[in-house]
PDB file of all heavy atoms in Angstrom:
ATOM      1  N   ASP K 284     -16.215  -1.747  14.257  1.00 92.00           N
ATOM      2  CA  ASP K 284     -17.577  -1.216  14.251  1.00 92.00           C
ATOM      3  C   ASP K 284     -18.502  -2.009  13.334  1.00 92.00           C
ATOM      4  O   ASP K 284     -19.731  -1.977  13.510  1.00 92.00           O
ATOM      5  CB  ASP K 284     -17.559   0.255  13.815  1.00 92.00           C
ATOM      6  CG  ASP K 284     -16.953   1.155  14.879  1.00 92.00           C
ATOM      7  OD1 ASP K 284     -16.743   0.679  16.019  1.00 92.00           O
ATOM      8  OD2 ASP K 284     -16.683   2.333  14.565  1.00 92.00           O
ATOM      9  N   LEU K 285     -17.925  -2.730  12.359  1.00 91.00           N
ATOM     10  CA  LEU K 285     -18.713  -3.589  11.473  1.00 91.00           C
ATOM     11  C   LEU K 285     -18.801  -5.021  12.016  1.00 91.00           C
ATOM     12  O   LEU K 285     -19.256  -5.919  11.310  1.00 91.00           O
ATOM     13  CB  LEU K 285     -18.085  -3.615  10.074  1.00 91.00           C
ATOM     14  CG  LEU K 285     -18.113  -2.296   9.298  1.00 91.00           C
ATOM     15  CD1 LEU K 285     -17.337  -2.436   7.991  1.00 91.00           C
ATOM     16  CD2 LEU K 285     -19.538  -1.854   9.027  1.00 91.00           C
ATOM     17  N   HIS K 286     -18.351  -5.210  13.290  1.00 91.00           N
ATOM     18  CA  HIS K 286     -18.374  -6.519  13.956  1.00 91.00           C
ATOM     19  C   HIS K 286     -17.472  -7.525  13.239  1.00 91.00           C
ATOM     20  O   HIS K 286     -17.784  -8.729  13.200  1.00 91.00           O
ATOM     21  CB  HIS K 286     -19.806  -7.058  14.057  1.00 91.00           C
ATOM     22  CG  HIS K 286     -20.782  -6.075  14.634  1.00 91.00           C
ATOM     23  ND1 HIS K 286     -20.741  -5.673  15.954  1.00 91.00           N
ATOM     24  CD2 HIS K 286     -21.802  -5.372  14.054  1.00 91.00           C
ATOM     25  CE1 HIS K 286     -21.703  -4.787  16.171  1.00 91.00           C
ATOM     26  NE2 HIS K 286     -22.341  -4.581  15.040  1.00 91.00           N
ATOM     27  N   GLY K 287     -16.354  -7.025  12.715  1.00 92.00           N
ATOM     28  CA  GLY K 287     -15.437  -7.889  11.982  1.00 92.00           C
ATOM     29  C   GLY K 287     -14.243  -8.358  12.785  1.00 92.00           C
ATOM     30  O   GLY K 287     -13.427  -9.131  12.275  1.00 92.00           O
ATOM     31  N   LEU K 288     -14.113  -7.892  14.050  1.00 95.00           N
ATOM     32  CA  LEU K 288     -13.038  -8.355  14.917  1.00 95.00           C
ATOM     33  C   LEU K 288     -13.622  -9.247  16.020  1.00 95.00           C
ATOM     34  O   LEU K 288     -14.840  -9.430  16.101  1.00 95.00           O
ATOM     35  CB  LEU K 288     -12.288  -7.168  15.524  1.00 95.00           C
ATOM     36  CG  LEU K 288     -11.628  -6.192  14.539  1.00 95.00           C
ATOM     37  CD1 LEU K 288     -10.865  -5.100  15.293  1.00 95.00           C
ATOM     38  CD2 LEU K 288     -10.724  -6.904  13.553  1.00 95.00           C
ATOM     39  N   THR K 289     -12.768  -9.777  16.872  1.00 96.00           N
ATOM     40  CA  THR K 289     -13.206 -10.701  17.919  1.00 96.00           C
ATOM     41  C   THR K 289     -14.279 -10.058  18.798  1.00 96.00           C
ATOM     42  O   THR K 289     -14.045  -8.975  19.361  1.00 96.00           O
ATOM     43  CB  THR K 289     -12.011 -11.120  18.792  1.00 96.00           C
ATOM     44  OG1 THR K 289     -11.017 -11.711  17.942  1.00 96.00           O
ATOM     45  CG2 THR K 289     -12.434 -12.117  19.846  1.00 96.00           C
ATOM     46  N   PRO K 290     -15.444 -10.667  18.918  1.00 95.00           N
ATOM     47  CA  PRO K 290     -16.530 -10.060  19.702  1.00 95.00           C
ATOM     48  C   PRO K 290     -16.257 -10.109  21.204  1.00 95.00           C
ATOM     49  O   PRO K 290     -15.398 -10.853  21.691  1.00 95.00           O
ATOM     50  CB  PRO K 290     -17.744 -10.929  19.332  1.00 95.00           C
ATOM     51  CG  PRO K 290     -17.162 -12.256  18.957  1.00 95.00           C
ATOM     52  CD  PRO K 290     -15.837 -11.953  18.306  1.00 95.00           C
ATOM     53  N   GLY K 291     -17.008  -9.291  21.944  1.00 95.00           N
ATOM     54  CA  GLY K 291     -16.914  -9.285  23.392  1.00 95.00           C
ATOM     55  C   GLY K 291     -15.812  -8.421  23.951  1.00 95.00           C
ATOM     56  O   GLY K 291     -15.532  -8.466  25.154  1.00 95.00           O
TER      57      GLY K 291
END
Side-chain angles (χ1 to χ4, degrees):
D284 289 349
L285 294 175
H286 309 292
L288 301 183
T289 303

